[in-house]
Amino acid sequence: MRRLGLLGVALLTTACSVAPLSRPVGHELGHAAIPGFAFATDTFAFPNEIRARHPDDADLYANYCFVLARSLRQFFLNAGFDGGAARVDHDEYVRRVRAVVTRAPWRESLPPDERVVIPGYANLRDFSRAEEAAVKEGMGGRFWTLVHWTNWRVTFVVTPDHQSEVARETVEELAAGRLVQLLVTNWPKPELNHTVVAYGFRDTPSGVEFSVWDPNDPDAPGTVVYERAAERFWASRLYDTEPGPIRAFRMSYSWML
């Protein structure tokens, strides 16, 4: 019995260990982008505002990064756009946005004939530019995203193995055609406690470069790099963030996490 117990401990320890991200990761590393996703058309036209940049603005769309990142994935999975259809009124657009974001972002995408149709606009960028108020109202408030228990992970000490696992999972999800939401932080530095959505990756000699949509910056893609030798993430290009080491966690990929 004692031998069996030791064998069980050994197997459990082996199952929990994570090898550094290297070539290959279950498949040949190279590059991948999400089929059917384009930064210029499939992202929101308005930003999550940074409160420190607008200290005197009481009516600021700030601290909505979690709402926007989750909703971006939900639009990609659940919405269909019909630019040739007649436009509807504000309340109907709100209703349709709510229908899009009600479905959990970790579920499989809806088939084309079951998607929530957004009439009068060709894509999310055009829709959110013209119907900004309806989109914001339909996506809802930020309270529960701010107090969600998983946000406490920003205070955790993480191991290089953990960060290697996050990088591995992100590569595999992107290679499978799924957007990946990442919680990124450089806590305790009070600069970056934020979320971005990875939509592509490129293998480099030193690691993996992830292309991300940053809710704070609708104008241009951001970049987060996983450094293979150091087994850490690096903020290469994130809006209003100095380049430097960060920690990354996957978000909204199950009902718990």
Side-chain angles (χ1 to χ4, degrees):
M1 288 295 292
R2 185 169 182 270
R3 288 183 178 179
L4 288 175
L6 291 173
L7 178 60
V9 170
L11 289 173
L12 180 61
T13 304
T14 302
C16 292
S17 66
V18 179
L21 185 69
S22 58
R23 300 182 183 88
V25 209
H27 56 79
E28 188 66 24
L29 268 181
H31 61 86
I34 302 297
F37 181 88
F39 183 95
T41 56
D42 298 313
T43 59
F44 293 104
F46 56 83
N48 172 68
E49 299 285 1
I50 298 175
R51 199 170 295 281
R53 287 175 168 248
H54 307 273
D56 301 321
D57 192 339
D59 188 25
L60 196 67
Y61 195 76
N63 306 117
Y64 279 87
C65 60
F66 295 109
V67 173
L68 284 167
R70 183 193 64 204
S71 298
L72 182 83
R73 294 174 60 203
Q74 290 166 313
F75 266 96
F76 186 66
L77 293 170
N78 307 321
F81 292 88
D82 186 352
R87 294 180 182 178
V88 296
D89 62 18
H90 172 92
D91 290 344
E92 180 60 19
Y93 279 130
V94 170
R95 188 190 71 78
R96 297 196 187 204
V97 171
R98 285 176 179 159
V100 169
V101 302
T102 296
R103 195 167 184 272
W106 53 84
R107 298 179 65 183
E108 291 297 319
S109 61
L110 287 172
D113 60 348
E114 294 181 20
R115 291 181 170 236
V116 179
V117 176
I118 307 297
Y121 296 99
N123 52 61
L124 180 58
R125 179 65 67 130
D126 291 346
F127 175 50
S128 59
R129 180 184 295 113
E131 306 289 346
E132 180 176 339
V135 173
K136 289 178 176 177
E137 184 178 343
M139 288 190 298
R142 64 195 175 192
F143 176 78
W144 291 113
T145 65
L146 296 176
V147 301
H148 197 280
W149 74 273
T150 58
N151 297 347
W152 288 100
R153 291 180 292 176
V154 302
T155 65
F156 294 173
V157 176
V158 297
T159 64
D161 278 355
H162 175 271
Q163 293 295 271
S164 181
E165 182 178 18
V166 172
R168 180 194 308 277
E169 291 175 345
T170 302
V171 164
E172 291 175 349
E173 286 293 292
L174 292 170
R178 291 185 286 268
L179 296 172
V180 179
Q181 185 177 348
L182 296 172
L183 170 64
V184 289
T185 180
N186 57 9
W187 180 266
K189 187 177 182 180
E191 180 188 53
L192 185 71
N193 291 295
H194 187 42
T195 186
V196 297
V197 177
Y199 63 90
F201 75 85
R202 182 176 65 87
D203 189 29
T204 71
S206 59
V208 183
E209 182 179 283
F210 294 101
S211 298
V212 301
W213 171 77
D214 184 341
N216 294 351
D217 186 7
D219 297 327
T223 306
V224 171
V225 172
Y226 173 76
E227 298 179 332
R228 189 175 287 110
E231 294 183 83
R232 69 179 181 185
F233 285 88
W234 186 273
S236 181
R237 185 191 179 282
L238 291 178
Y239 188 74
D240 205 40
T241 299
E242 293 182 3
I246 59 174
R247 285 163 289 144
F249 308 82
R250 286 181 61 200
M251 287 193 75
S252 299
Y253 61 95
S254 75
W255 69 273
M256 285 188 64
L257 294 169

